[in-house]
Amino acid sequence: MDVDHYAVLGLPSGEEGSKLSEKEISKAYRAKALELHPDKRPDDPNAHANFQILKSSYEILKDEKARKLFDDLLRVKREQHRRQSERDSKRQKMMMDLEARERSAFAPDPAAKELAEEEKIAKKLKEEIARIRAMHAKKGAPTTFPPKKETGGVGKNSDGDPGSTMDKERMLKVSWEKIGEDYTAEKLREMFSKFGEVEDVVIRHNKKKKGSAVIVMSSKDAAVASTRSVLGDLSNPLLVLPLQPVSSVEMPAAEKSPEHNRLNNLVGAGYQAFEDSILKKLQKAGEKQKQ
């Protein structure tokens, strides 16, 4: 392992680092995260990679088992370095002769034993890192994002671009009344992850009495499944609507129902009133279930 995870967080390494508390490590991570966040380094092409290294080092030091293995690895390396620096040419020759005699007497080779111990600890540390990454991947918190085509952001149209329509069909508009405990991005991600992987959650901050967010699902099927369930606290349920309905075969004009045309024509204040009416119905249903 060439990365000193303590040094990445700006902390002292070695024996002093192993004595640091979890609170001190978390405090150092927050300070470094503010310094290395890609939003604060728009001109640095390596900003994203450096920030991912910082997050990976913090996850290792935060995990008790992984941190102990890393401290053991550093201890072995320090002992190796100390022994190597103490040996001069004459002592090194004497040690080599002594080790040769010990090997001939069936004694274990200290250098081989140290190397085996180092490889064993390094292997265990790699396994712990893989376990931590897998655990976070299951929670819907991937540390890396696959490159994808820019869609122009939420609310911007890209006429004639099929990829833009496909992305919007995976987006959901979620709204709720700001009463009681508010919904956070982490809580929304957890709720919607049962329908599929959640790629992103964007909370829209405003001073109104209603909260809203845009949620990007990994697939259209996951987005459709999300709109078919009642989510959130029954006293303050979530109103989940597709940002853009999933594409389907166009119906003949004669077969379209008046209700279909009425919903398609809801814009501006009319769409807002439509949302409010559905939220009130959901809240009344939740109150009846509690009684």
Side-chain angles (χ1 to χ4, degrees):
M1 298 296 293
D2 297 328
V3 179
D4 187 338
H5 300 296
Y6 288 105
V8 171
L9 269 69
L11 294 169
S13 188
E15 295 181 357
E16 188 177 353
S18 64
K19 296 178 182 179
L20 292 170
S21 66
E22 185 176 344
K23 184 176 180 181
E24 291 173 320
I25 292 174
S26 297
K27 182 179 179 181
Y29 168 72
R30 287 194 294 270
K32 271 291 182 181
L34 289 174
E35 177 185 343
L36 298 180
H37 197 280
D39 291 345
K40 293 192 175 183
R41 296 171 173 261
D43 299 327
D44 185 0
N46 300 320
H48 183 72
N50 292 336
F51 189 72
Q52 293 302 321
I53 292 174
L54 176 66
K55 289 177 63 178
S56 178
S57 296
Y58 175 62
E59 293 296 339
I60 291 170
L61 296 180
K62 187 174 67 171
D63 187 275
E64 183 179 355
K65 189 174 180 181
R67 181 184 177 188
K68 186 179 183 303
L69 289 170
F70 181 65
D71 288 338
D72 290 342
L73 182 61
L74 290 180
R75 173 181 56 77
V76 172
K77 286 183 174 291
R78 288 198 306 273
E79 291 176 356
Q80 288 180 337
H81 181 72
R82 178 178 58 80
R83 276 192 292 269
Q84 188 66 28
S85 63
E86 290 176 352
R87 295 173 184 169
D88 54 21
S89 59
K90 183 178 178 179
R91 179 173 176 79
Q92 188 174 9
K93 186 178 182 303
M94 292 174 61
M95 288 295 296
M96 290 175 64
D97 293 340
L98 178 61
E99 290 171 359
R101 290 195 295 270
E102 289 176 343
R103 283 194 297 270
S104 64
F106 305 100
D109 183 4
K113 185 178 179 181
E114 290 172 358
L115 181 61
E117 184 182 0
E118 179 185 348
E119 291 176 350
K120 182 179 179 181
I121 295 174
K123 182 180 178 181
K124 287 185 177 180
L125 181 58
K126 287 181 180 179
E127 292 174 353
E128 286 303 309
I129 293 174
R131 179 182 66 81
I132 293 172
R133 288 176 177 171
M135 178 179 66
H136 282 276
K138 289 181 180 179
K139 291 182 178 179
T143 56
T144 59
F145 297 91
K148 58 185 180 179
K149 184 177 179 181
E150 291 291 337
T151 61
V154 177
K156 294 184 179 179
N157 294 325
S158 300
D159 295 335
D161 185 0
S164 176
T165 302
M166 182 71 71
D167 285 343
K168 289 183 179 179
E169 289 176 353
R170 296 187 289 108
M171 297 180 183
L172 300 170
K173 180 181 179 183
V174 182
S175 56
W176 63 91
E177 297 292 338
K178 285 192 174 181
I179 56 176
E181 183 179 356
D182 202 0
Y183 290 98
T184 64
E186 182 179 1
K187 190 171 182 180
L188 291 174
R189 183 185 291 274
E190 181 181 353
M191 288 181 182
F192 283 83
S193 61
K194 66 182 180 182
F195 301 105
E197 182 181 350
V198 179
E199 291 189 358
D200 200 3
V201 178
V202 180
I203 298 287
R204 292 183 172 180
H205 297 283
N206 55 59
K207 297 181 179 180
K208 298 181 180 179
K209 293 183 179 180
K210 180 184 292 185
S212 63
V214 173
I215 297 178
V216 183
M217 305 298 291
S218 61
S219 66
K220 292 189 292 183
D221 292 340
V224 172
S226 302
T227 61
R228 295 174 177 171
S229 301
V230 177
L231 298 174
D233 195 312
L234 290 177
S235 63
N236 187 13
L238 297 174
L239 174 60
V240 184
L241 296 172
L243 191 64
Q244 177 171 307
V246 178
S247 301
S248 59
V249 179
E250 184 68 20
M251 296 172 56
E255 296 181 6
K256 290 186 178 179
S257 65
E259 179 67 14
H260 179 274
N261 292 331
R262 186 181 70 82
L263 292 178
N264 281 343
N265 291 329
L266 282 177
V267 295
Y271 189 81
Q272 185 72 33
F274 175 63
E275 283 190 359
D276 292 342
S277 65
I278 294 180
L279 277 174
K280 289 179 180 178
K281 290 179 181 179
L282 291 174
Q283 288 175 346
K284 288 181 179 179
E287 292 173 358
K288 288 182 179 179
Q289 290 186 15
K290 285 188 173 183
Q291 290 177 353

